[in-house]
Amino acid sequence: MSAAPARQPLCVALLPLDERPACSRLPAQIAAVAGAEVLLPPAALMPRLREPGDADALGDWLVRAAPKADAAVVSLETLGHGGLIASRTQPRTVAEVTARWQVLAEIAATGTPVHAVTLITRTPDSDDAMEEPEYWDPHGPALHRLSAALHRGERPTASHPGELAVAREAVPGTVRSDFARRRLRNHALNLTALELAAAGVLDSLVVGADDTAPWALATAELQQLRHWRTRLEAEDRVAVRPGADEATATLVARTLLDLLGGGPVTVRIEAIDPHGLARVAPYENVPVGHTAAGQIEACGATVHDGPDPDLHLLVHTPDGDGDWAAGPLNARHAAAETTARALAGRAAALLRAGHSVAVADCAQPNGSDPLLVDALLATGLAHRLTSYAGWNTAGNTLGTAVAHAVTAVAARRTGRFDARAHLDLLAHRLIEDRGYMTRVRADLRTELGSVPGRHDHVSDADPVLDRLVTGLTRYAEELPGFHARITPGSVHLPWRRTFEADFDVTTGLAAPATGTPAATAPSTTTAEETR
């Protein structure tokens, strides 16, 4: 009997938020789990930290690449401004940006589905201007307080007498004016993005908000955009939730769910402490349980409260201790280890029973909880997880864990699951989130004399890079069940700062993941190959 013909791999054209691995590499890794190919723009067109990308050339690339793909995933900030940071710093007008967005209608007219992400402008409580307008140093903290005072002022019962006047007085008038006008422009653009979704130009839209707080202009704008989503009756195609850097990954997952077919993916949200899902994580403005539900929705999956879901999402809820980037922890509260072990035990029990399990580690921002990861590894079953994430904000973590997991579930169901790509991604997250963010990074920052709460700079010749390679290599070798290896020469700091690291990792398949056999490994294609 002759073999069945090989199926053509699915293909997604991706215009990322920027050039960082979290925005471009991570979506491609998730697509690879379903044996899918990702088309990316040439690096020369993309932004480089504060230098904007060539927005017009990126639009031209997208028009050429999208018809060759099964769907397009687009960052509206990159298409309109040349990148995420450019959307915060460059003096573009609403007319200029929306003119560049006209290519979306051209692509939609060809029949290629377009999925997009846009972001609510953040107001971080920091005087670090690396990713913000230059006046953030020194006015960032005062602008953060002004943002909160303006939001509270819209709700008289929450405002404090004189608070707004004091907050305004702390910021020069020219800075206040520029700050407000930039927010107005970007809010108008977000409303325009909603209209594109309601009109059918966009098949789906994710509106994200990162680095915010319960009282902040970003929170007020998020609420306003939710109201407009309801007025436009666009709930089925627009997700509004905390998160940013993971947004293209969640959209790739949603896109693949549509392309793969096979029915909806149902997800049950669980926590060891059910009250923990009601806590608001640092840098966010809604309870972490709401963030989880929003990320599930953004990925095209469905929250399921009953028995027998397709996926169990175990959330390690915020515990109020520390920040692995701004203030690494030296000690933990008494109940932390008990909670971590209980969650690892729950994961192990579900895995032994044959269930799909994703773990979202939201205990502290900017890294994994070592107590949890070490407990998961001690079970000897961590390599059988459907996904794991524990980096940056709770939104980043939850979006990554859900996107990886729902893609894996759908790919297994439809016979497109690539076990090697899945295990490589699972190992990459454990090595980066635990091995780097909560183990190696603190040592590097101490050696460099980095200032807490501010980004540092590392030259290409700094000897600290050798310690980085050694630390990641050692941790990779310690992961039981993965047979993980860091590819020599692949370790680097994408933005020459210690906040994030990138590397290539390969794993063995001594213990195959649950599901169908591995498919042929996919590829990530650059735009030079799509011209």
Side-chain angles (χ1 to χ4, degrees), residues 21-35:
C23 302
S24 55
R25 178 188 181 99
L26 175 60
Q29 289 174 308
I30 287 171
V33 172

Side-chain angles (χ1 to χ4, degrees), residues 169-458:
E169 184 66 25
V171 181
T174 55
V175 172
R176 294 199 310 270
S177 176
D178 186 80
F179 169 73
R181 285 186 288 109
R182 287 180 193 270
R183 295 206 71 90
L184 176 61
R185 176 200 66 184
N186 288 354
H187 187 57
L189 289 169
N190 286 338
L191 288 168
T192 302
L194 277 181
E195 196 277 331
L196 291 174
V201 174
L202 304 178
D203 284 69
S204 71
L205 173 68
V206 169
V207 181
D210 74 326
D211 207 349
T212 185
W215 291 106
L217 287 177
T219 301
E221 291 164 15
L222 183 145
Q223 292 164 343
Q224 292 159 15
L225 290 164
R226 281 197 178 122
H227 290 320
W228 274 110
R229 177 182 65 169
T230 300
R231 293 164 187 158
L232 291 165
E233 300 180 24
E235 292 93 339
D236 61 332
R237 62 176 61 204
V238 178
V240 183
R241 83 292 181 276
D245 294 346
E246 83 300 336
T248 46
T250 62
L251 268 181
V252 165
R254 182 186 181 118
T255 300
L256 290 171
L257 258 62
D258 289 344
L259 296 173
L260 288 167
V265 174
T266 57
V267 185
R268 180 182 173 88
I269 303 170
E270 300 183 26
I272 295 303
D273 176 7
H275 299 293
L277 293 171
R279 296 187 195 120
V280 178
Y283 312 115
E284 299 208 342
N285 53 15
V286 296
V288 71
H290 292 187
T291 301
Q295 293 288 9
I296 292 167
E297 175 189 1
C299 290
T302 304
V303 176
H304 179 78
D305 293 328
D308 300 321
D310 297 314
L311 174 69
H312 292 262
L313 173 63
L314 306 188
V315 182
H316 193 36
T317 52
D319 70 6
D321 282 345
D323 179 319
W324 290 108
L329 298 166
N330 295 315
R332 301 293 299 285
H333 58 79
E337 186 168 2
T338 300
T339 300
R341 286 183 175 177
L343 192 144
R346 172 63 174 161
L350 288 167
L351 290 169
R352 291 190 187 102
H355 296 287
S356 295
V357 179
V359 175
D361 188 348
C362 304
Q364 300 89 29
N366 291 313
S368 297
D369 181 355
L371 295 176
L372 173 63
V373 175
D374 294 351
L376 286 168
L377 295 175
T379 68
L381 299 173
H383 59 286
R384 288 174 51 186
L385 288 169
T386 310
S387 71
Y388 169 85
W391 65 285
N392 289 22
T393 66
N396 297 149
T397 286
L398 284 156
T400 301
V402 174
H404 179 184
V406 300
T407 301
V409 168
R412 287 168 177 158
R413 184 185 285 169
T414 55
R416 288 181 178 265
F417 179 66
D418 188 319
R420 173 59 62 79
H422 162 74
L423 201 64
D424 287 354
L425 175 53
L426 185 58
H428 196 286
R429 288 262 56 94
L430 287 164
I431 295 167
E432 182 174 355
D433 302 351
R434 168 66 173 107
Y436 180 65
M437 292 188 181
T438 62
R439 185 169 174 173
V440 174
R441 182 171 62 188
D443 293 339
L444 299 186
R445 289 179 64 84
T446 297
E447 183 174 343
L448 290 165
S450 304
V451 177
R454 292 184 68 91
H455 290 298
D456 46 26
H457 178 77
V458 182

